[in-house]
Amino acid sequence: MAAISAAQVKELRETTGAGMMDCKQALNQTDGDMEAAVDWLRKKGLAAAAKKAGRVAAEGLVGVAVKGTTGAVVEVNAETDFVARNPDFQTFVSTVAEVALGVEGDVEALKAAAYPGGGTVAEELTNLIARIGENMTLRRFARLSTSQGLIGSYVHAATAPGLGKIGVLVALETSGDVGKIEELGRQISMHVAAANPQWASTDEVDTTALDRERAVLSEQARASGKPENIVEKMVEGRLRKYYEEVVLVEQVWVLDPDQKVKAVLAEAGKTAGAPVSVPGYVRMALGEGVEKAEQDFAAEVAATLNR
């Protein structure tokens, strides 16, 4: 049997889109013959994903999983929203979210993680692509944990438990009675889904973004012709408004417009018997940042018929 190099496995994987172990087996079965290995994979149905790899995948599902004081959220994309209702696809996204609870690192680390039942997450995704017949990608994931307190979660536009269009995790940190703030964890997660803050607190605001905002507000204020000391006060006032738009604790509480989130947290601290804070959160919306291909309905039908 011919010795199979890592370079050969890599080349076959890039050509076919099949999993690494499948490519290695194909090369072993064909004594390293690349073309024969491609045919071997095609016969096994493992190279089907290659035909679909160039198609835009901007639909799909966001999956959320929480266990104890750790939560994970993943985004798995597909070409059409029909796939989001496919039981096999839903099972895959839910399972990957559970796997992500124990994975540290980037999305490549999650792809390389063991998938329940055998193989890796990446290999199971390749198998799923072959079965369903659409291009799919495990685009990103994030974990959130707290040393004391809880992880609240919320899924917007849910198609199944823990699966939907927007997934949110919120860490509530407290040494008080966690049982008394469980509902607050869900409520703040809903708030984050709706209000889409950029930072948890004013201390976290990116200095570059703040300097840019300050410069714009300063120019706007000076255009009014007011003295410089008045301009400074105008800028500070407008910066407070900016914080109310982008900082979680400074935002108006979606459940009560007369309160800010920081007031809600202060009240929760009294209920829990110890201060409650939000050290971090994750908000992941399906398809954000993915450039979708524009296509008219007739062209979409024609493309479907030609597949």
Side-chain angles (χ1 to χ4, degrees), residues 215-298:
V216 171
L217 294 176
S218 296
E219 287 299 317
Q220 291 175 345
R222 290 191 181 96
S224 67
K226 297 287 194 303
E228 193 64 26
N229 63 322
I230 301 298
V231 166
E232 290 179 8
K233 292 180 180 178
M234 291 173 66
V235 169
E236 291 308 311
R238 292 176 181 178
L239 275 178
R240 284 195 292 273
K241 182 65 176 176
Y242 172 69
Y243 285 141
E244 289 177 359
E245 294 175 354
V246 300
V247 175
L248 172 59
V249 298
E250 299 295 333
Q251 288 181 328
V252 173
W253 181 228
V254 293
L255 299 181
D256 182 0
D258 293 330
Q259 291 191 89
K260 288 188 177 181
V261 173
K262 61 183 178 183
V264 174
L265 291 170
E267 194 63 32
K270 297 176 183 178
T271 302
V276 178
S277 63
V278 180
Y281 68 90
V282 176
R283 181 185 187 276
M284 193 173 289
L286 180 68
E288 57 188 353
V290 177
E291 188 173 335
K292 298 183 181 181
E294 296 295 329
Q295 190 174 38
D296 61 38
F297 182 69

Side-chain angles (χ1 to χ4, degrees), residues 9 13 16-24 41 46 120 122-123 126-127:
V9 175
R13 189 179 185 188
T16 64
M20 185 178 297
M21 295 307 296
D22 291 325
C23 289
K24 185 176 181 181
L41 287 168
L46 298 173
T120 65
E123 289 167 350
T126 297
N127 294 335

Side-chain angles (χ1 to χ4, degrees), residues 114-220:
Y115 189 86
T120 65
V121 168
E123 289 167 350
E124 180 61 23
L125 180 58
T126 297
N127 294 335
L128 189 64
I129 292 170
R131 291 201 305 272
I132 293 179
E134 280 198 11
N135 183 31
M136 302 174 200
T137 58
L138 172 52
R139 185 180 175 214
R140 52 185 173 154
F141 94 103
R143 291 172 71 245
L144 187 66
S145 62
T146 180
S147 57
Q148 56 179 2
L150 61 84
I151 298 296
S153 66
Y154 171 69
V155 175
H156 183 66
T159 58
L163 301 173
K165 299 293 186 182
I166 299 175
V168 177
L169 299 171
V170 172
L172 291 186
E173 192 169 84
T174 183
S175 59
D177 188 341
V178 173
K180 293 183 178 180
I181 59 171
E182 285 183 354
E183 178 60 16
L184 180 63
R186 187 184 71 86
Q187 291 175 342
I188 293 185
S189 297
M190 292 175 67
H191 173 98
V192 170
N196 192 17
Q198 304 303 301
W199 295 279
S201 67
T202 54
D203 293 338
E204 296 178 8
V205 177
D206 179 70
T207 55
T208 301
L210 187 59
D211 290 344
R212 185 166 57 247
E213 188 69 17
R214 189 185 297 275
V216 171
L217 294 176
S218 296
E219 287 299 317
Q220 291 175 345

